[in-house]
Amino acid sequence: MTSFRAAVVQFEPTPDQPPINLATVDRLARTAVADGARLVVFPEMCLLGYWHLRRHAPDRLHELAEPADGPLVSQILALAKELDAGIGVGFLEDADGTLFNAYAVCLPDGTVHVHRKLHAFEHEQIASGSSYTVFDTPWGFRAGVLICWDNNLVENVRITALLGATVLIAPHQTGGTNSRSPHGMRPIPLEVWDSGDQAAIEEAFNGPSGRGWLMRWLPARAHDNGMFLLFSNGVGRDDDELRTGNAMILDPYGRIVAETPVPADAVVVADLDLDLVPLATGRRWLRGRRPELYSLLTERQGNELDPRAARFSPDPVDFGHPSTTDSP
């Protein structure tokens, strides 16, 4: 058996306070590594905070952003080398004046792999990335990164698998959002969190606006593509919303290997049995594809929207293609 120990982390970042968040990352990374983890996955935008960024003026965002080789990521890389472990963190990247919701995976061999969120909607000044991030690791497997909403579009996960990833790093800030879908998530009142009533908080975070929502789709991403999925998330107050944590690790059959129901900062550690990948159902399905049938996936239909408009549009969606659905 080829086994690899990984960790996913949930924590509540302090808005616009990288030094405080770096200290939290340092503390929780050491906890994970002390438990044997060789790769530690932190949430989306964890070094800065997330949902409050939509309220910032462009000048303030540029003040908070750093290049991928700036002081923040450099400190994480130094920690990865010290602990001899990979560490993934989310940050606001400034790339020659363009802002990205980015995620840096710092490896102990000194390499850094940066993914830019493909479907960024947080602020009109934050651009969307335009490439996939899949890379070899020092531990003999290929890993990929998709940030939050990137994972909701099934094409992204499938392409990441086709590029050879067998472990998907999936940092999020989710749960308790105000979905426009009639049976989607709903905001969890801030009063629930502020009450300190642990039973009430756990019930809300593990209910239909938290873990219950994740269970509708997250296992399918792992199962259908035959990949391990490392889901990290924020927890607690995120501006005027609550993030529900639910950090978990899923195997290539979509089974939960480990998770935490605790609504607080937490580290989830599990062993990945990499021998499960080659014959996983999703891997066999990949070989049964008929790419010649899928050209429609790459054609514009005329009703596409940019990520911000798609995320917030109240309009119903109509995909009607009578000319392409007729069978011969």
Side-chain angles (χ1 to χ4, degrees):
M1 178 182 296
T2 305
S3 182
F4 176 81
R5 182 163 288 191
V8 291
V9 177
Q10 63 185 38
F11 81 91
E12 182 182 9
T14 301
D16 296 350
Q17 293 296 325
I20 295 175
N21 298 322
L22 278 169
T24 301
V25 167
D26 185 286
R27 173 175 59 86
L28 296 177
R30 293 180 187 279
T31 298
V33 172
D35 199 13
R38 303 297 308 283
L39 174 64
V40 189
V41 175
F42 286 88
E44 173 186 16
M45 205 66 79
C46 63
L47 296 184
L48 200 59
Y50 176 70
W51 198 225
H52 73 287
L53 296 177
R54 74 194 194 282
R55 303 182 188 275
H56 280 336
D59 288 349
R60 179 57 173 156
L61 290 179
H62 282 278
E63 290 174 0
L64 293 166
E66 287 193 6
D69 59 354
L72 285 178
V73 175
S74 295
Q75 290 182 67
I76 298 299
L77 179 58
L79 181 63
K81 292 178 179 179
E82 177 192 344
L83 299 180
D84 191 29
I87 301 174
V89 294
F91 70 108
L92 184 62
E93 182 189 9
D94 185 336
D96 297 323
T98 300
L99 300 179
F100 295 97
N101 177 339
Y103 195 85
V105 181
C106 301
L107 298 178
D109 62 5
T111 57
V112 179
H113 300 276
V114 176
H115 177 71
R116 294 168 175 170
K117 190 173 183 178
L118 301 173
H119 305 274
F121 56 81
E122 298 80 15
H123 194 290
E124 60 185 8
Q125 292 295 315
I126 298 178
S128 292
S130 57
S131 61
Y132 292 95
T133 305
V134 177
F135 53 90
D136 293 320
T137 70
W139 309 290
F141 60 83
R142 284 174 67 77
V145 184
L146 292 172
I147 299 173
C148 202
W149 206 34
D150 291 351
N151 292 277
N152 291 117
L153 282 82
V154 297
E155 294 88 347
N156 293 329
V157 187
R158 176 53 55 88
I159 290 172
T160 299
L162 290 173
L163 289 171
T166 56
V167 175
L168 177 59
I169 296 168
H172 280 67
Q173 291 288 347
T174 193
T177 68
N178 189 14
S179 172
R180 295 189 181 277
S181 301
H183 300 289
M185 289 183 290
R186 290 292 178 266
I188 298 170
L190 294 175
E191 292 77 17
V192 173
W193 181 254
D194 294 338
S195 73
D197 184 337
Q198 291 300 296
I201 296 170
E202 287 187 21
E203 180 180 8
F205 283 16
N206 292 312
S209 290
R211 185 181 185 276
W213 173 74
L214 293 171
M215 289 300 98
R216 296 186 191 181
W217 65 273
L218 192 62
R221 300 297 181 271
H223 173 274
D224 292 355
N225 297 286
M227 293 193 292
F228 284 93
L229 196 152
L230 309 182
F231 173 84
S232 62
N233 194 19
V235 67
R237 186 184 289 269
D238 187 10
D239 197 45
D240 61 351
E241 293 184 345
L242 292 176
R243 303 291 164 241
T244 58
N246 310 116
M248 66 179 73
I249 295 174
L250 300 98
D251 77 3
Y253 287 90
R255 301 177 301 180
I256 298 173
V257 181
E259 65 176 322
T260 177
V262 176
D265 292 2
V267 176
V268 176
V269 178
D271 291 321
L272 314 185
D273 176 5
L274 299 174
D275 290 338
L276 291 176
V277 173
L279 289 177
T281 306
R283 288 283 139 170
R284 292 189 296 108
W285 286 354
L286 289 177
R287 296 185 68 188
R289 294 178 309 112
R290 295 182 59 193
E292 68 274 10
L293 299 179
Y294 310 147
S295 62
L296 189 62
L297 291 174
T298 63
E299 296 175 5
R300 287 193 168 272
Q301 304 305 307
N303 59 356
E304 290 83 5
L305 299 174
D306 68 79
R308 278 181 60 80
R311 174 64 174 79
F312 299 114
S313 173
D315 299 329
V317 181
D318 179 21
F319 279 99
H321 301 285
S323 63
T324 62
T325 57
D326 292 342
S327 299

